[in-house]
Amino acid sequence: MKDVTIKKAVPEDALILAKIQNESFKSAFTDLLDESIIEECTRLSPAVAMYGELLDAGKGHGYILTLDQIPHAIAWWDRARDEDMGDFCELICIHSLKENRHMGYGSLLLKLVLSDMNNTGFAKVYLWVFS
């Protein structure tokens, strides 16, 4: 059994967050999207910059799940970005690397995130679905 830890992301984790997001996106959408779209959506430097800016500003709540001290999955949530959803929070992303999917690690991460949302005072959450 693997040693599982989940930690809150800090500014030094921007590269880890970006890499996991990009690799997860590639493996999930390779058969569904044109290669040019995959390339555009998984450019590393903009993703690193985005996470760096969010973390430096203290915007949102990011988490990294590690397996045997190796980063495997991430999640990010914040207050709803849609002004019409004022009393909701939003699960902005949850990503995992392909090699350990379907083993319950995403469920562990989601359970912690939902608890964090509730402890922060949110009783309602939504997920915007990419289509």
Side-chain angles (χ1 to χ4, degrees), residues 52-102:
E53 289 170 13
L54 291 169
L55 289 162
D56 286 343
K59 177 104 176 89
H61 308 266
Y63 293 91
I64 300 172
L65 179 142
T66 62
L67 301 175
D68 294 334
Q69 302 178 349
I70 299 169
H72 166 69
I74 66 168
W76 197 277
W77 76 272
D78 201 358
R79 174 177 299 281
R81 294 176 284 182
D82 185 335
E83 292 180 16
D84 295 336
M85 305 292 282
D87 58 342
F88 281 73
C89 62
E90 178 180 359
L91 179 59
I92 296 168
C93 73
I94 186 163
H95 293 282
S96 65
L97 298 177
K98 185 177 183 177
E99 54 271 9
N100 287 298
R101 287 186 186 150
H102 309 292

Side-chain angles (χ1 to χ4, degrees), residues 77-80 86-89 114 117-124:
W77 76 272
D78 201 358
R79 174 177 299 281
D87 58 342
F88 281 73
C89 62
L114 292 171
M117 291 169 172
N118 189 52
N119 291 338
T120 307
F122 289 98
K124 300 175 187 176

Side-chain angles (χ1 to χ4, degrees), residues 26-63:
K26 286 176 190 175
S27 66
F29 294 107
T30 294
D31 295 334
L32 300 172
L33 299 174
D34 185 70
E35 187 176 324
S36 64
I37 295 172
I38 299 283
E39 286 179 24
E40 180 64 27
C41 291
T42 58
R43 292 184 307 134
L44 188 59
S45 59
V48 171
M50 175 195 69
Y51 281 115
E53 289 170 13
L54 291 169
L55 289 162
D56 286 343
K59 177 104 176 89
H61 308 266
Y63 293 91

